[in-house]
């Protein structure tokens, strides 16, 4: 099987051992520690605020903010949030990890170099363990589309193959970015080779406005590509000529991983970002005739829902 479905009999995967790192948050600028832990088969991906003792399932319905990142919050304590989760989610999905606990001691995932490559390196160092539990996938049965009214849209379509295929167009006129397009079948190999090391980016003219809004406080040329009209301000330049659309497709992988299981689908987007990516999942799951479970016997979505219904933790 292709896409997010490993060829090894479709069995669930986790990490062999815990592994961690320390880095700054892109938006908060705070220094934070992150540790990736193995998890039991069927647990899914869970985020844990170790400073507060609160777990938040990595699920689309818990997304509360999509301004320049994807942030989730506990449904019964919206002030308990974790931002900039998309790159670590993309790395886990791209590596085929189904079950893991992501511990962080603050409100944001460290940005590291602005791509998913450092998280993929951590996964490689920890190693991957395959369980006996079968893996579930979410099969898209009919087209679902969301749009913003200004020409941007995101769509999911059925796929005749057991795979996740993605195509994306972006357009930043009068800048070094310009128009870029990329179409790719997302596999562990293509994710690693084509997407993982592509960095987040911004326009130089936006930096001061973002900081006045309390965003991008930790942004530097070491963790983001900065574009000033026709110029790239980073001394080392770009990692790929089309690094911008590659990073946007990396974001799609991370955002759609919040479905709770791999998608058998074709994604098509035009200037889509975190907001439309999340709206697309909400639209998909709002239509019970647009999707179905296939594969294993235990639904990760049902398991996550059961956990959320448990009594919420007390807060000081």
């Amino acid at each position: 099987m292709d896409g997010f479905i490993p060829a090894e009999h479709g069995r669930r995967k986790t990490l062999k051992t815990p592994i961690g790192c320390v880095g700054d948050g892109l938006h908060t600028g705070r220094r934070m520690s992150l540790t990736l832990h193995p998890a039991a088969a069927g647990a899914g991906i869970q985020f844990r605020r170790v400073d507060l003792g609160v777990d938040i399932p990595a699920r689309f319905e818990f997304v509360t903010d999509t301004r320049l990142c994807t942030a989730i919050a506990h449904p019964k304590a919206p002030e308990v949030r974790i931002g900039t989760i998309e790159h670590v989610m993309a790395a886990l999905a791209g590596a085929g990890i189904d079950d893991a606990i992501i511990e962080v001691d603050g409100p944001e995932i460290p940005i590291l170099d602005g791509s998913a490559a450092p998280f993929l390196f951590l996964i490689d160092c920890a190693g991957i363990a395959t369980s006996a539990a079968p893996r579930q996938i979410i099969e898209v049965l009919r087209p679902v589309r969301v749009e913003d009214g200004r020409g941007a849209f995101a769509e999911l379509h059925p796929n005749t193959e057991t795979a996740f295929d993605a195509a994306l167009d972006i357009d930043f006129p009068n800048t070094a970015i310009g128009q870029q397009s990329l179409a790719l079948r997302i596999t562990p190999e293509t994710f690693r080779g084509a997407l993982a090391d592509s960095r987040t980016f911004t326009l130089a003219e936006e930096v001061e406005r973002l900081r006045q809004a309390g965003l991008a406080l930790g942004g530097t040329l070491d963790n983001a590509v900065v574009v000033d009209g026709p110029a790239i301000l980073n001394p080392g330049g770009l990692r790929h000529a089309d690094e911008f659309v590659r990073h946007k497709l990396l974001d799609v992988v991370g955002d759609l991983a919040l479905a709770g299981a791999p998608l058998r689908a074709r994604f098509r987007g035009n200037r889509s970002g975190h907001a439309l990516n999340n709206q697309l999942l909400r639209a998909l799951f709002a239509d019970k005739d647009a999707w179905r479970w296939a594969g294993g016997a235990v639904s990760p979505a049902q398991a996550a829902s059961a956990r959320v219904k448990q009594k919420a933790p007390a807060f000081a």
Side-chain angles (χ1 to χ4, degrees):
M1 293 182 178
D2 292 308
F4 289 149
I5 314 300
E8 299 174 15
H9 310 295
R11 300 300 180 180
R12 297 183 70 87
K13 296 180 184 295
T14 188
L15 303 172
K16 286 185 177 178
T17 187
I19 192 165
C21 65
V22 177
D24 296 331
L26 175 63
H27 294 299
T28 63
R30 287 180 50 179
R31 194 76 169 167
M32 282 165 283
S33 296
L34 173 142
T35 305
L36 304 178
H37 289 271
I45 308 296
Q46 294 275 323
F47 285 88
R48 176 171 295 161
R49 281 285 301 269
V50 293
D51 55 326
L52 300 175
V54 179
D55 287 0
I56 309 172
R59 295 278 302 168
F60 69 92
E61 62 264 43
F62 302 135
V63 171
T64 56
D65 193 354
T66 53
R67 293 176 302 162
L68 302 178
C69 75
T70 295
I72 57 175
H74 193 281
K76 295 186 178 180
E79 71 278 9
V80 179
R81 58 170 273 161
I82 302 175
T84 319
I85 68 170
E86 60 272 15
H87 300 165
V88 68
M89 286 299 301
L92 291 166
I97 300 295
D98 303 285
D99 304 300
I101 298 170
I102 306 165
E103 290 187 344
V104 64
D105 63 355
E108 190 176 15
I109 299 298
I111 190 63
L112 303 179
D113 77 343
S115 78
F119 298 112
L120 200 56
F121 175 76
L122 292 176
I123 294 168
D124 288 344
C125 291
I128 297 175
T130 302
S131 77
R135 198 182 205 201
Q136 279 206 319
I137 63 172
I138 296 164
E139 183 179 359
V140 172
L141 301 177
R142 66 185 187 188
V144 177
R145 177 184 171 103
V146 294
E147 52 190 59
D148 71 352
R150 295 173 293 178
F153 67 82
E155 302 173 333
L156 285 172
H157 294 265
N159 199 331
T160 56
E161 300 182 58
T162 305
F164 180 69
D165 296 311
L168 182 65
D169 301 317
I170 64 171
D171 186 5
F172 289 77
N174 305 315
T175 73
I177 305 170
Q179 293 181 322
Q180 296 187 355
S181 300
L182 183 62
L184 201 64
R185 172 160 293 182
I186 308 298
T187 69
E189 293 73 27
T190 62
F191 180 83
R192 182 182 297 272
L195 301 183
D197 69 343
S198 296
R199 297 161 293 174
T200 192
F201 61 92
T202 190
L203 303 181
E205 63 200 63
E206 296 292 316
V207 171
E208 185 56 35
R209 180 186 65 82
L210 292 174
R211 289 180 173 168
Q212 289 179 357
L215 299 171
L217 300 179
T220 72
L221 293 178
D222 292 326
N223 58 37
V225 177
V226 180
V227 179
D228 188 3
I232 305 296
L233 299 187
N234 302 66
L238 297 175
R239 293 175 175 174
H240 308 277
D242 60 349
E243 185 169 359
F244 305 103
V245 71
R246 291 185 190 220
H247 183 79
K248 283 291 191 179
L249 198 54
L250 183 157
D251 282 344
V252 169
V253 172
D255 289 339
L256 296 190
L258 295 174
L263 294 168
R264 174 177 175 172
R266 291 184 297 112
F267 170 88
R268 175 71 183 172
N270 180 58
R271 305 196 337 260
S272 67
H274 301 301
L276 279 179
N277 296 340
N278 183 251
Q279 291 171 28
L280 183 61
L281 287 183
R282 291 177 184 268
L284 173 69
F285 290 107
D287 183 352
K288 61 181 179 60
D289 295 321
W291 64 280
R292 68 182 176 191
W293 288 104
V298 179
S299 161
Q302 292 170 343
S305 177
R307 286 192 293 271
V308 171
K309 289 178 182 178
Q310 294 173 357
K311 182 179 179 181
F315 297 92

